[in-house]
Amino acid sequence: MTTTIRNPPAVEDRTASLPLRLMLAPAGTAPALLDGAWWPRSRDLTAELPALTTALDPRWGRITHVTVNPTFWPVIPPKVPVDGHVVGVGWFKEEQDPHKLLLLSYNAGRWDLLVIPPETSPAAAARLMTEAADPLGTRTASALMDEAEQRRIAEETELSLVSVWDSEGGHGASLPTSRSPAQALVARVPDTPEGI
């Protein structure tokens, strides 16, 4: 009797079967500060970059190099194998916006993508992707992320206030009853001014 034992891969590639979360500015539009947005599922460049570059190669030419800011990427591999070729990965701490991914193609040029943090809510990510893919966009990647954070804080504050309002009776609570005459401050107005 022969038994075949299949060894599972050392690292499970969960991202290969999931759709790529990417939005690009329309082709042929005037250059903006950003060419679109990418919403990776993790902060693992080795797992995330192959799907991204494979999707972009037919549109932009073979992606040969990628740079990131290490602020949000815990491990930056020097190279990532991608569909028959290797993409070099570099990083710039001070020179590159921490929320931006720079893609280079020797044949076609350079593109800048906003990188939306994996933990971002779907609604916020959709808003960010739309703003980053706007060909008339004038905001940097960090400016978009700062605005998104301010919006998130405002929404959380509003939800918190609504929660407090609801827990204290909210709109359905009865209005406070008026004070009894004994508790109310009553001022008597004299009939005639004093001193006359």
PDB file of all heavy atoms in Angstrom, residues 149-164:
ATOM      1  N   GLU A 149      -8.242  60.041   9.716  1.00  0.00           N
ATOM      2  CA  GLU A 149      -8.153  59.866  11.167  1.00  0.00           C
ATOM      3  C   GLU A 149      -9.011  60.895  11.887  1.00  0.00           C
ATOM      4  O   GLU A 149      -9.705  60.561  12.855  1.00  0.00           O
ATOM      5  CB  GLU A 149      -6.690  59.965  11.620  1.00  0.00           C
ATOM      6  CG  GLU A 149      -6.489  59.796  13.107  1.00  0.00           C
ATOM      7  CD  GLU A 149      -6.892  58.440  13.663  1.00  0.00           C
ATOM      8  OE1 GLU A 149      -7.156  57.502  12.895  1.00  0.00           O
ATOM      9  OE2 GLU A 149      -6.950  58.314  14.894  1.00  0.00           O
ATOM     10  N   GLN A 150      -8.999  62.130  11.434  1.00  0.00           N
ATOM     11  CA  GLN A 150      -9.850  63.159  12.036  1.00  0.00           C
ATOM     12  C   GLN A 150     -11.326  62.812  11.865  1.00  0.00           C
ATOM     13  O   GLN A 150     -12.128  62.985  12.780  1.00  0.00           O
ATOM     14  CB  GLN A 150      -9.545  64.527  11.437  1.00  0.00           C
ATOM     15  CG  GLN A 150      -8.192  65.060  11.833  1.00  0.00           C
ATOM     16  CD  GLN A 150      -7.803  66.316  11.061  1.00  0.00           C
ATOM     17  OE1 GLN A 150      -8.549  66.821  10.240  1.00  0.00           O
ATOM     18  NE2 GLN A 150      -6.600  66.814  11.332  1.00  0.00           N
ATOM     19  N   ARG A 151     -11.691  62.306  10.698  1.00  0.00           N
ATOM     20  CA  ARG A 151     -13.067  61.883  10.436  1.00  0.00           C
ATOM     21  C   ARG A 151     -13.446  60.723  11.354  1.00  0.00           C
ATOM     22  O   ARG A 151     -14.532  60.704  11.926  1.00  0.00           O
ATOM     23  CB  ARG A 151     -13.209  61.479   8.964  1.00  0.00           C
ATOM     24  CG  ARG A 151     -14.631  61.278   8.514  1.00  0.00           C
ATOM     25  CD  ARG A 151     -14.733  60.910   7.032  1.00  0.00           C
ATOM     26  NE  ARG A 151     -14.166  61.926   6.170  1.00  0.00           N
ATOM     27  CZ  ARG A 151     -13.190  61.703   5.283  1.00  0.00           C
ATOM     28  NH1 ARG A 151     -12.655  60.510   5.156  1.00  0.00           N
ATOM     29  NH2 ARG A 151     -12.738  62.663   4.518  1.00  0.00           N
ATOM     30  N   ARG A 152     -12.536  59.760  11.534  1.00  0.00           N
ATOM     31  CA  ARG A 152     -12.805  58.608  12.402  1.00  0.00           C
ATOM     32  C   ARG A 152     -13.025  59.064  13.842  1.00  0.00           C
ATOM     33  O   ARG A 152     -13.964  58.634  14.505  1.00  0.00           O
ATOM     34  CB  ARG A 152     -11.649  57.605  12.338  1.00  0.00           C
ATOM     35  CG  ARG A 152     -11.880  56.328  13.153  1.00  0.00           C
ATOM     36  CD  ARG A 152     -10.618  55.506  13.292  1.00  0.00           C
ATOM     37  NE  ARG A 152      -9.588  56.165  14.064  1.00  0.00           N
ATOM     38  CZ  ARG A 152      -9.590  56.279  15.403  1.00  0.00           C
ATOM     39  NH1 ARG A 152     -10.581  55.807  16.100  1.00  0.00           N
ATOM     40  NH2 ARG A 152      -8.598  56.888  16.027  1.00  0.00           N
ATOM     41  N   ILE A 153     -12.182  59.973  14.325  1.00  0.00           N
ATOM     42  CA  ILE A 153     -12.312  60.476  15.696  1.00  0.00           C
ATOM     43  C   ILE A 153     -13.642  61.211  15.853  1.00  0.00           C
ATOM     44  O   ILE A 153     -14.347  61.031  16.856  1.00  0.00           O
ATOM     45  CB  ILE A 153     -11.111  61.375  16.058  1.00  0.00           C
ATOM     46  CG1 ILE A 153      -9.845  60.519  16.188  1.00  0.00           C
ATOM     47  CG2 ILE A 153     -11.371  62.156  17.337  1.00  0.00           C
ATOM     48  CD1 ILE A 153      -8.557  61.317  16.284  1.00  0.00           C
ATOM     49  N   ALA A 154     -14.006  62.033  14.878  1.00  0.00           N
ATOM     50  CA  ALA A 154     -15.270  62.770  14.950  1.00  0.00           C
ATOM     51  C   ALA A 154     -16.456  61.806  14.967  1.00  0.00           C
ATOM     52  O   ALA A 154     -17.409  61.994  15.731  1.00  0.00           O
ATOM     53  CB  ALA A 154     -15.384  63.744  13.776  1.00  0.00           C
ATOM     54  N   GLU A 155     -16.404  60.756  14.140  1.00  0.00           N
ATOM     55  CA  GLU A 155     -17.491  59.773  14.115  1.00  0.00           C
ATOM     56  C   GLU A 155     -17.578  59.012  15.428  1.00  0.00           C
ATOM     57  O   GLU A 155     -18.671  58.775  15.941  1.00  0.00           O
ATOM     58  CB  GLU A 155     -17.301  58.813  12.939  1.00  0.00           C
ATOM     59  CG  GLU A 155     -17.572  59.452  11.598  1.00  0.00           C
ATOM     60  CD  GLU A 155     -17.151  58.586  10.416  1.00  0.00           C
ATOM     61  OE1 GLU A 155     -16.587  57.484  10.626  1.00  0.00           O
ATOM     62  OE2 GLU A 155     -17.382  59.014   9.271  1.00  0.00           O
ATOM     63  N   GLU A 156     -16.434  58.634  16.000  1.00  0.00           N
ATOM     64  CA  GLU A 156     -16.441  57.938  17.287  1.00  0.00           C
ATOM     65  C   GLU A 156     -16.974  58.838  18.393  1.00  0.00           C
ATOM     66  O   GLU A 156     -17.715  58.391  19.263  1.00  0.00           O
ATOM     67  CB  GLU A 156     -15.033  57.449  17.648  1.00  0.00           C
ATOM     68  CG  GLU A 156     -14.620  56.216  16.907  1.00  0.00           C
ATOM     69  CD  GLU A 156     -13.238  55.710  17.316  1.00  0.00           C
ATOM     70  OE1 GLU A 156     -12.622  56.278  18.239  1.00  0.00           O
ATOM     71  OE2 GLU A 156     -12.785  54.735  16.695  1.00  0.00           O
ATOM     72  N   THR A 157     -16.602  60.106  18.368  1.00  0.00           N
ATOM     73  CA  THR A 157     -17.094  61.055  19.369  1.00  0.00           C
ATOM     74  C   THR A 157     -18.604  61.209  19.249  1.00  0.00           C
ATOM     75  O   THR A 157     -19.325  61.186  20.246  1.00  0.00           O
ATOM     76  CB  THR A 157     -16.400  62.423  19.202  1.00  0.00           C
ATOM     77  OG1 THR A 157     -14.995  62.243  19.338  1.00  0.00           O
ATOM     78  CG2 THR A 157     -16.894  63.425  20.219  1.00  0.00           C
ATOM     79  N   GLU A 158     -19.089  61.332  18.028  1.00  0.00           N
ATOM     80  CA  GLU A 158     -20.524  61.459  17.814  1.00  0.00           C
ATOM     81  C   GLU A 158     -21.261  60.211  18.291  1.00  0.00           C
ATOM     82  O   GLU A 158     -22.282  60.311  18.973  1.00  0.00           O
ATOM     83  CB  GLU A 158     -20.817  61.716  16.338  1.00  0.00           C
ATOM     84  CG  GLU A 158     -22.286  61.938  16.064  1.00  0.00           C
ATOM     85  CD  GLU A 158     -22.580  62.266  14.610  1.00  0.00           C
ATOM     86  OE1 GLU A 158     -21.671  62.727  13.902  1.00  0.00           O
ATOM     87  OE2 GLU A 158     -23.729  62.059  14.194  1.00  0.00           O
ATOM     88  N   LEU A 159     -20.719  59.029  17.974  1.00  0.00           N
ATOM     89  CA  LEU A 159     -21.346  57.786  18.440  1.00  0.00           C
ATOM     90  C   LEU A 159     -21.350  57.707  19.957  1.00  0.00           C
ATOM     91  O   LEU A 159     -22.318  57.247  20.566  1.00  0.00           O
ATOM     92  CB  LEU A 159     -20.623  56.572  17.845  1.00  0.00           C
ATOM     93  CG  LEU A 159     -20.873  56.295  16.364  1.00  0.00           C
ATOM     94  CD1 LEU A 159     -19.990  55.152  15.890  1.00  0.00           C
ATOM     95  CD2 LEU A 159     -22.338  55.969  16.132  1.00  0.00           C
ATOM     96  N   SER A 160     -20.273  58.152  20.570  1.00  0.00           N
ATOM     97  CA  SER A 160     -20.188  58.144  22.024  1.00  0.00           C
ATOM     98  C   SER A 160     -21.234  59.071  22.630  1.00  0.00           C
ATOM     99  O   SER A 160     -21.900  58.722  23.608  1.00  0.00           O
ATOM    100  CB  SER A 160     -18.785  58.565  22.463  1.00  0.00           C
ATOM    101  OG  SER A 160     -18.705  58.654  23.852  1.00  0.00           O
ATOM    102  N   LEU A 161     -21.390  60.262  22.056  1.00  0.00           N
ATOM    103  CA  LEU A 161     -22.384  61.204  22.558  1.00  0.00           C
ATOM    104  C   LEU A 161     -23.802  60.669  22.379  1.00  0.00           C
ATOM    105  O   LEU A 161     -24.645  60.808  23.268  1.00  0.00           O
ATOM    106  CB  LEU A 161     -22.232  62.555  21.861  1.00  0.00           C
ATOM    107  CG  LEU A 161     -20.955  63.336  22.183  1.00  0.00           C
ATOM    108  CD1 LEU A 161     -20.844  64.568  21.302  1.00  0.00           C
ATOM    109  CD2 LEU A 161     -20.895  63.699  23.650  1.00  0.00           C
ATOM    110  N   VAL A 162     -24.062  60.039  21.247  1.00  0.00           N
ATOM    111  CA  VAL A 162     -25.374  59.443  21.009  1.00  0.00           C
ATOM    112  C   VAL A 162     -25.626  58.327  22.011  1.00  0.00           C
ATOM    113  O   VAL A 162     -26.727  58.195  22.555  1.00  0.00           O
ATOM    114  CB  VAL A 162     -25.491  58.939  19.551  1.00  0.00           C
ATOM    115  CG1 VAL A 162     -26.713  58.062  19.362  1.00  0.00           C
ATOM    116  CG2 VAL A 162     -25.519  60.117  18.594  1.00  0.00           C
ATOM    117  N   SER A 163     -24.610  57.534  22.281  1.00  0.00           N
ATOM    118  CA  SER A 163     -24.744  56.444  23.244  1.00  0.00           C
ATOM    119  C   SER A 163     -25.073  56.982  24.632  1.00  0.00           C
ATOM    120  O   SER A 163     -25.939  56.451  25.330  1.00  0.00           O
ATOM    121  CB  SER A 163     -23.447  55.632  23.282  1.00  0.00           C
ATOM    122  OG  SER A 163     -23.514  54.647  24.276  1.00  0.00           O
ATOM    123  N   VAL A 164     -24.385  58.031  25.042  1.00  0.00           N
ATOM    124  CA  VAL A 164     -24.664  58.650  26.345  1.00  0.00           C
ATOM    125  C   VAL A 164     -26.083  59.201  26.348  1.00  0.00           C
ATOM    126  O   VAL A 164     -26.841  58.994  27.297  1.00  0.00           O
ATOM    127  CB  VAL A 164     -23.630  59.759  26.664  1.00  0.00           C
ATOM    128  CG1 VAL A 164     -24.076  60.592  27.852  1.00  0.00           C
ATOM    129  CG2 VAL A 164     -22.275  59.147  26.924  1.00  0.00           C
TER     130      VAL A 164
END
